[in-house]
Amino acid sequence: VSKAELQIAEAVALVDTLPNWTVLDKIIIPTKNPDKKFVFGKGNFDVLTEKIKKMPHVTAVFLNVERISSVTKKELEDAWGVKVFDRYTVVLHIFRCNARTKEAKLQIALAEIPLLRSNLKNEVSQLDQQRGGSRYIMGSGETFMETQNRLLKEKELKIRHVLEKLRRKRSLLRTQRRKREFPVISVMGYTNCGKTTLIKALTGEAGLQPRDQLFATLDITAHAGYLPSHMAVIYVDTIGFLSDLPHNLVESFSATLEEVAYSDLIVHVRDITHPETVLQKASVLSVLKNLNLPSHLLESMVEVHNKVDLIERYEPTEENTLAISALHGHGLEELKEEIEKKILKATGKKILTIKVNLQGPQLSWLYKEATVQEVEVMPEDGTAMVTVIISNSAFGKYRNLFPSSTFFI
């Protein structure tokens, strides 16, 4: 399968994600530089034009290039008599259909601003042709273009201001979560790699309904789960990645992706059955690098090869990877153990069993300063074996306060 065929398969998958959109035909044509007035050479352009004219049911054409200029868009729409979309407008439309929260909707409104700006240029040049030069608006000293640009600038600032307020609110929630000491695991990967299915399998959260489509998850959502030691953790489901995800879109969602920087661990999920899985991995890693994440987060990342139930006797060749099937629960226990090992290291915590005297203050101190997992009372000598998850600093304090205490790792 050639790279072009895989790209066209992804383009079809994007269109199929949209409700009431259907692909009637597809064609691979070499493109010239998309910044030129026409995307194609003359011969290819004529072939396409003839093809479109022969298909009366076609209502739009999707060119799988990142962005086409407003001039090109207008030229093509005039020549073909149908709407023309590029990758940016299609992905943005998918985002629009999938946005649930106020924040996601605001981030989409922010990503629309560059489109509105280029549409404005188009409108103004058309108006100028019709009436011979731009006019000032009712003696305001401002041209139509300047007024519209000013309004767009004000709209952009307003959206950024509200997003900033939401960011601060989330930062506050994050601090409260830190106080309660719930480790946070960000689950990331190429769109439709099975992140939501994996989180559902790890947490047993019945309300999570994974959908087999691109960008089903747009808002960051948090889900509580337990590791083998009964440590409570929070799994964060993040927006999926796409190769050549238009830069402005990534930028608009940086507020959402910022949450990842504050997690204790990243789990990178790969759909190992996808023919482009290696390129998909490169695409995810390049976005992660651009997010300026702390280096320890990138170094400790857990890579998960998902959907191995679809491949006979699959063995990962890469080091530090785990093969799983989120759908069938294969390999999940090993994954939980690996996550626990990495979380304990990242948060500087250890799991200990401490022998305490029930007459003394140790037990209530441990409840206050650590996470008590289990208490096994020995009634015959008034002691208890207490299993705790404790930070290094709290453990140091405990040993100073109760030097004669015995403990087992």
Side-chain angles (χ1 to χ4, degrees), residues 220-239:
I220 278 208
T221 53
H223 311 271
Y226 291 94
L227 296 179
S229 66
H230 309 298
M231 186 197 302
V233 291
I234 290 169
Y235 291 100
V236 170
D237 198 353
T238 60
I239 180 176

Side-chain angles (χ1 to χ4, degrees), residues 41-330:
K42 174 111 179 60
N44 281 330
F45 177 71
D46 292 342
V47 166
L48 252 184
T49 306
E50 199 176 326
K51 198 175 174 67
I52 293 161
K53 294 285 184 212
K54 280 183 182 159
M55 297 177 76
H57 298 303
V58 166
T59 54
V61 173
F62 170 29
L63 302 180
N64 194 28
V65 293
E66 186 179 329
R67 280 295 285 277
I68 52 174
S69 70
S70 54
V71 174
T72 301
K73 183 176 155 69
K74 183 173 183 322
E75 293 283 344
L76 295 176
E77 286 181 344
D78 287 351
W80 296 337
V82 293
K83 280 263 184 219
V84 174
F85 296 94
D86 54 20
R87 217 170 151 83
Y88 190 89
T89 41
V90 167
V91 173
L92 188 61
H93 195 48
I94 295 170
F95 280 14
R96 222 181 269 128
C97 295
N98 284 347
R100 300 280 175 272
T101 64
K102 180 183 180 183
E103 187 165 18
K105 287 170 183 166
L106 282 166
Q107 287 173 145
I108 289 158
L110 191 61
E112 278 174 336
I113 301 259
L115 274 184
L116 295 171
R117 281 210 175 97
S118 62
N119 290 349
L120 176 65
K121 271 186 204 157
N122 235 350
E123 274 175 48
V124 168
S125 63
Q126 273 176 283
L127 285 170
D128 286 352
Q129 281 165 13
Q130 287 163 17
R131 65 187 180 201
S134 59
R135 300 272 183 275
Y136 288 96
I137 294 174
M138 294 166 71
S140 65
E142 255 190 349
T143 62
F144 173 74
M145 176 86 164
E146 285 165 349
T147 308
Q148 294 303 311
N149 261 327
R150 178 172 53 77
L151 292 172
L152 277 177
K153 188 79 199 146
E154 284 168 11
K155 182 180 176 177
E156 184 180 358
L157 288 172
K158 210 177 277 181
I159 295 168
R160 286 189 189 277
H161 176 67
V162 180
L163 277 172
E164 181 57 31
K165 266 167 74 175
L166 284 168
R167 203 178 63 81
R168 282 201 296 270
K169 185 179 166 188
R170 219 186 19 239
S171 168
L172 193 70
L173 290 171
R174 200 184 296 126
T175 313
Q176 288 168 348
R177 208 162 57 204
R178 280 259 174 272
K179 276 185 191 148
R180 293 202 190 107
E181 294 204 319
F182 289 132
V184 176
I185 299 143
S186 286
V187 181
M188 314 197 80
Y190 205 83
T191 183
N192 213 20
C193 67
K195 297 185 301 297
T196 306
T197 307
L198 176 59
I199 291 174
K200 184 178 182 177
L202 290 170
T203 60
E205 196 175 312
L208 266 179
Q209 286 309 324
R211 287 179 291 161
D212 181 18
Q213 64 174 59
L214 306 184
F215 299 112
T217 303
L218 204 57
D219 303 294
I220 278 208
T221 53
H223 311 271
Y226 291 94
L227 296 179
S229 66
H230 309 298
M231 186 197 302
V233 291
I234 290 169
Y235 291 100
V236 170
D237 198 353
T238 60
I239 180 176
F241 295 108
L242 189 67
S243 67
D244 311 319
L245 183 61
H247 179 71
N248 286 58
L249 284 178
V250 176
E251 198 129 282
S252 308
F253 280 79
S254 61
T256 301
L257 290 169
E258 181 198 52
E259 189 77 3
V260 177
Y262 295 96
S263 51
D264 298 293
L265 182 68
I266 292 174
V267 171
H268 173 201
V269 185
R270 288 174 60 187
D271 172 359
I272 214 64
T273 67
H274 197 284
E276 285 285 66
T277 184
V278 175
L279 275 176
Q280 290 186 349
K281 174 181 174 172
S283 148
V284 170
L285 293 183
S286 83
V287 175
L288 288 178
K289 286 199 176 81
N290 291 338
L291 288 175
N292 297 323
L293 300 173
S295 57
H296 69 86
L297 257 186
L298 292 172
E299 285 154 20
S300 67
M301 191 157 38
V302 174
E303 186 178 307
V304 172
H305 291 185
N306 190 22
K307 309 191 186 180
V308 295
D309 52 297
L310 302 175
I311 302 176
E312 249 182 86
R313 289 193 289 281
Y314 177 76
E315 283 296 326
T317 49
E318 293 144 90
E319 274 182 54
N320 306 320
T321 55
L322 292 151
I324 68 150
S325 162
L327 196 60
H328 297 287
H330 169 76

